[in-house]
Amino acid sequence: MGLSPDQLAEIAELRSEARPTLRATAPGIEAHLYEARPVLDHGFVRVVDYMGDDAAICQAARVSYGRGTKSVQNDEGLIRYLMRHWHSTPFEMCEIKLHVKLPVFVARQWIRHRTANVNEYSARYSILDREFYIPAPEHVAAQSEVNNQGRGATLEGEEAARVLEMLKADSTRAYDNYQSMISTEGQQGLARELARMNLPANIYTQWYWKVDLHNLFHFLRLRADAHAQYEIRVYAEEICKVVADWVPFAYGAFEEYRLGAQTLSATALDCVRRMLKGEELTQETSGLTKREWRELDAVLKG
Ligand SMILES: Cc1cc2nc3c(=O)[nH]c(=O)nc-3n(C[C@H](O)[C@H](O)[C@H](O)COP(=O)(O)OP(=O)(O)OC[C@H]3O[C@@H](n4cnc5c(N)ncnc54)[C@H](O)[C@@H]3O)c2cc1C
């Protein structure tokens, strides 16, 4: 993981000092505070701060003065009701601030989620570290033949070795040139903001990313999904574990009504109803396109 001994010491110091507060705290996420959770070869996710807990969601839904509802069962039931019926604003009352270290090509996908607050490490001001994402051999895969936006079988043998070698060699050469261009030894030294354009998209960047729980669930729904690229999915999966500990009722409802759920079109729903009545449907009689029919079939087969 890309943390220096100094950075690890800073984290340990932060974790060694508890502060009393009147605010609601969530014990599940307190255990994660500041700790870096490794992702990919040099990346990590760590919780820097958070606001709210399951009770805060209920409190907002009820606009109450106290902790939420009267009992734990009521809290869970209310949260599940809110999630089921898309009553989303109470979830916006919880927030989380993460420090993420991630390859630039993953950051490009991540930044598309506009409903968050971001502050990225400045490569105009600072020199980027010599850290590149090089996929583990089992993730060096061929272009998928069925999905233009995905990967297929793992590359094997000489081809896999050659690809990995090219990735490593190109990253090393680009970084060597970056260092050589910004160096001020015996030359003026190119500005960092210009030299960085030579760096490949697998170099690591870092940012602070703050988002409310509603929009975090939206992010996780899209990026923890099997259709998301592996390299962003592993970050989303790591965040899922943190959120499950932070707001267990809300996360349980999210798993039930979003992550593990499926949306059916009106025609697809009609197909299911016809099937339940015993009708033998084919794609031609379903009213669905070939692709929709395949997708419905996949949903029903699980
Ligand atoms: C599997 C996958 C493949 C993808 N492929 C591509 C691709 O090929 N090319 C590409 O460009 N992108 C691609 N994307 C990115 C995708 O199109 C979205 O940009 C990204 O998922 C962020 O979603 P969002 O806009 O809903 O999120 P957010 O920006 O977090 O927004 C959340 C919600 O807020 C609302 N919102 C936010 N901003 C506005 C606004 N300005 N106006 C109106 N409503 C707003 C919308 O309801 C939105 O759904 C892909 C995403 C996934 C998951």
Side-chain angles (χ1 to χ4, degrees):
M1 185 177 25
L3 282 172
S4 67
D6 283 354
Q7 289 164 332
L8 288 169
E10 274 181 58
I11 290 172
E13 195 187 327
L14 275 172
R15 286 185 58 82
S16 69
E17 191 191 332
R19 299 168 192 81
T21 178
L22 293 179
R23 291 172 47 211
T25 53
I29 200 169
E30 289 283 323
H32 292 293
L33 262 180
Y34 313 128
E35 292 273 34
R37 303 169 68 85
V39 187
L40 299 178
D41 49 358
H42 301 291
F44 60 75
V45 176
R46 61 186 203 97
V47 181
V48 178
D49 206 353
Y50 73 97
M51 180 171 82
D53 57 1
D54 276 328
I57 298 167
C58 300
Q59 201 181 34
R62 299 243 186 257
V63 194
S64 68
Y65 295 91
R67 290 261 316 147
T69 55
K70 295 278 177 277
S71 76
V72 168
Q73 284 84 354
N74 282 349
D75 275 6
E76 185 174 16
L78 174 59
I79 286 173
R80 288 170 72 87
Y81 176 89
L82 296 172
M83 183 72 75
R84 205 160 59 242
H85 294 281
W86 296 89
H87 185 5
S88 54
T89 42
F91 296 97
E92 293 173 20
M93 302 300 157
C94 295
E95 293 210 338
I96 190 165
K97 184 161 67 182
L98 301 172
H99 177 187
V100 190
K101 184 167 181 182
L102 68 176
V104 164
F105 72 92
V106 175
R108 280 194 63 176
Q109 296 187 339
W110 197 308
I111 202 72
R112 298 300 304 281
H113 297 267
R114 298 157 290 177
T115 41
N117 307 104
V118 188
N119 195 67
E120 188 174 4
Y121 186 85
S122 171
R124 298 183 70 192
Y125 182 84
S126 309
I127 299 173
L128 289 168
D129 292 332
R130 185 191 280 271
E131 281 177 329
F132 299 92
Y133 169 61
I134 305 294
E138 64 270 26
H139 295 298
V140 180
Q143 173 61 41
S144 166
E145 284 172 13
V146 285
N147 176 6
N148 286 339
Q149 217 178 31
R151 58 184 83 170
T154 307
L155 292 187
E156 285 174 6
E158 194 271 328
E159 186 180 359
R162 187 162 45 86
V163 166
L164 280 171
E165 204 36 57
M166 282 198 281
L167 288 172
K168 286 179 199 161
D170 286 356
S171 305
T172 304
R173 194 185 57 215
Y175 196 86
D176 287 347
N177 287 340
Y178 169 70
Q179 268 189 322
S180 149
M181 286 189 281
I182 58 178
S183 167
T184 48
E185 280 177 38
Q187 61 179 11
Q188 283 177 285
L190 183 65
R192 289 164 194 166
E193 67 178 16
L194 288 170
R196 65 174 167 175
M197 70 182 158
N198 201 41
L199 292 168
N202 64 340
I203 195 160
Y204 274 85
T205 184
Q206 302 185 34
W207 59 35
Y208 267 44
W209 193 70
K210 182 169 75 68
V211 67
D212 66 58
L213 186 60
H214 166 64
N215 285 293
L216 178 61
F217 279 148
H218 181 66
F219 171 86
L220 295 175
R221 165 70 189 82
L222 293 171
R223 302 302 182 175
D225 185 83
H227 295 96
Q229 179 168 346
Y230 165 79
E231 282 78 12
I232 193 165
R233 197 168 69 233
V234 283
Y235 283 90
E237 286 168 354
E238 212 49 46
I239 297 171
C240 280
K241 292 179 203 161
V242 171
V243 178
D245 287 344
W246 171 28
V247 279
F249 293 160
Y251 187 77
F254 166 68
E255 271 192 320
E256 177 68 13
Y257 301 116
R258 300 283 186 279
L259 206 53
Q262 291 285 345
T263 305
L264 295 184
S265 68
T267 309
L269 184 59
D270 185 51
C271 287
V272 174
R273 288 186 176 131
R274 286 161 66 192
M275 286 173 194
L276 285 173
K277 281 183 191 154
E279 190 178 338
E280 289 278 333
L281 283 189
T282 62
Q283 183 263 316
E284 289 76 14
T285 58
S286 69
L288 298 171
T289 65
K290 280 186 183 151
R291 186 167 188 165
E292 287 171 333
W293 178 251
R294 273 202 312 275
E295 287 171 1
L296 175 62
D297 190 53
V299 167
L300 296 181
K301 286 189 176 140

